[in-house]
Amino acid sequence: MTLQQLRYMIIAAETGSITEAAKMLYISQPSLSGAIKDVENEVGITIFQRCRAGIALTKEGMEFLGYARQVIQQMELLEAKYISNQPRKQRFCVSTQHYTFTTNAFVELVKQFGEERFEFILNETQTHQIIEDVRNRFSDLGILYLSKSNESVLRKAFDKYDLNFYELFSAKPHIFISKEHPLANCSSVKLLDLKPYPRLSFVQGTYESSNFSEELFSNEIVDKSIKVSDRAAIVNLMIGLNGYTISSGIFPKYLQGDEIISIPLDEDETMRIGYILNKDKQLSELGEIYVNALMEYKAD
């Protein structure tokens, strides 16, 4: 197995196509397919499976590529330091549920880092994908929450994949709504008060259940439900359709002026927001900067 073969496989995974990857690498398609097959034979696992859209990583392949990325990143650091004499290029990746404060903390990280060369990734994604990203070492850490309703299932997943959860802060549930919403003047609301309005939530794909939901009380049956994959879409639906979503209550006003407000939800639950890491890893220097920035949004 060579570094070149590992680079080939990373490009193939990122493009999802042998044909496109071969074009990017300026090699023939049979050469790339042969290199991938050689590695699969050497390590004794199937890394890619063929599908209608091209190729996709198997579960074993995801884990393998996680380690392969680490090897390539370390080699790039060595080359930058000892061969090209360039400042080393730092990589840092966070996978997170759709929280505004995780984006704000990411901005602070980039500002504080201050170096000329870096590759930073902020991946807002589904709950199960966050766990997979950290497990496969694509992401340095993952941001999600535990509650009474999801803790037993998520803890089981953490144990299965050798992950630790570190709590940052806890928050009582709030609803986010437009300032023009009929409930906007309430000091608090109950779930029953929300019944006439559309519930907005994030799609969780094949893991669509209350255990992997980003919103509390997602197991409550509602008459009107809208699921989206984009945070900006949820904001627009709050404003345009009197929709609501349930979250932590942390929502900086500068993102939408005063258009969006948060109101306490008077129900018995708590969101314990934190991050997950591989059990054999500690926070890197960049991870500590990011986590410290997150703590600035600690709920009272």
Side-chain angles (χ1 to χ4, degrees):
M1 189 188 324
T2 66
L3 289 172
Q4 186 179 52
Q5 288 175 321
L6 295 182
R7 289 191 173 101
Y8 284 177
M9 301 186 80
I10 290 170
I11 295 298
E14 290 174 349
T15 60
S17 165
I18 294 291
T19 302
E20 291 303 315
K23 288 179 182 178
M24 291 180 63
L25 292 164
Y26 300 102
I27 62 174
S28 69
Q29 187 173 331
S31 294
L32 178 56
S33 296
I36 290 173
K37 195 65 179 175
D38 288 344
V39 174
E40 288 181 324
N41 289 337
E42 184 176 351
V43 298
I45 62 172
T46 300
I47 297 173
F48 292 103
Q49 59 187 5
R50 270 60 180 176
C51 58
R52 288 184 180 180
I55 57 171
L57 286 168
T58 63
K59 286 189 175 181
E60 294 86 357
M62 289 181 185
E63 185 173 9
F64 177 85
L65 260 290
Y67 287 107
R69 286 190 184 95
Q70 290 185 76
V71 171
I72 295 300
Q73 288 157 16
Q74 292 301 315
M75 189 62 201
E76 288 174 349
L77 291 177
L78 284 170
E79 290 173 347
K81 184 174 179 64
Y82 295 106
I83 299 175
S84 62
N85 292 320
Q86 290 181 312
R88 65 175 184 164
K89 187 176 183 179
Q90 288 272 23
R91 181 190 184 275
F92 182 73
C93 179
V94 175
S95 290
T96 175
Q97 293 176 327
H98 297 77
Y99 300 128
T100 54
F101 58 85
T102 58
T103 302
N104 299 339
F106 200 79
V107 171
E108 292 302 316
L109 166 69
V110 176
K111 287 180 178 178
Q112 289 187 47
F113 181 63
E115 299 292 337
E116 292 182 2
R117 306 182 74 243
F118 57 82
E119 180 187 7
F120 290 165
I121 302 170
L122 179 65
N123 183 29
E124 288 190 343
T125 188
Q126 300 167 354
T127 302
H128 190 269
Q129 189 59 50
I130 295 169
I131 296 171
E132 287 288 336
D133 285 351
V134 177
R135 171 204 175 193
N136 295 321
R137 300 173 191 269
F138 173 75
S139 294
D140 295 85
L141 54 87
I143 310 296
L144 42 68
Y145 80 92
L146 297 181
S147 67
K148 288 188 292 186
S149 61
N150 72 6
E151 182 165 7
S152 61
V153 171
L154 292 190
R155 288 282 189 190
K156 187 178 294 185
F158 299 162
D159 290 342
K160 179 180 179 181
Y161 298 134
D162 291 325
L163 306 176
N164 283 331
F165 175 81
Y166 301 90
E167 184 174 337
L168 292 170
F169 52 82
S170 62
K172 298 300 291 182
H174 286 64
I175 61 165
F176 289 129
I177 56 175
S178 163
K179 70 175 183 180
E180 304 297 334
H181 195 283
L183 299 176
N185 293 322
C186 296
S187 58
S188 66
V189 296
K190 302 282 289 183
L191 286 173
L192 188 61
D193 300 323
L194 300 171
K195 188 173 176 59
Y197 309 106
R199 180 176 70 189
L200 311 175
S201 56
F202 288 105
V203 173
Q204 297 299 322
T206 55
Y207 291 88
E208 198 70 61
S209 74
S210 60
N211 296 313
F212 288 91
S213 174
E214 296 186 39
E215 301 80 26
L216 292 170
F217 307 108
S218 61
N219 57 341
E220 296 285 332
I221 297 174
V222 296
D223 295 328
K224 303 173 184 178
S225 173
I226 301 175
K227 294 182 180 293
V228 302
S229 60
D230 179 69
R231 181 153 47 89
I234 256 187
V235 171
N236 291 332
L237 292 169
M238 288 180 207
I239 296 172
L241 296 177
N242 279 337
Y244 71 90
T245 191
I246 300 173
S247 192
S248 64
I250 306 172
F251 191 95
K253 287 186 177 180
Y254 67 79
L255 291 176
Q256 280 292 330
D258 292 318
E259 293 297 315
I260 302 299
I261 61 174
S262 65
I263 296 176
L265 181 61
D266 185 16
E267 301 289 348
D268 182 24
E269 249 304 6
T270 300
M271 297 178 71
R272 293 162 45 215
I273 298 167
Y275 62 93
I276 54 174
L277 282 178
N278 287 281
K279 286 184 177 179
D280 62 354
K281 288 187 66 176
Q282 293 183 330
L283 275 179
S284 64
E285 182 179 353
L286 292 176
E288 289 182 357
I289 293 173
Y290 184 70
V291 166
N292 288 336
L294 285 173
M295 291 295 290
E296 294 296 319
Y297 299 94
K298 183 174 181 179
D300 292 334

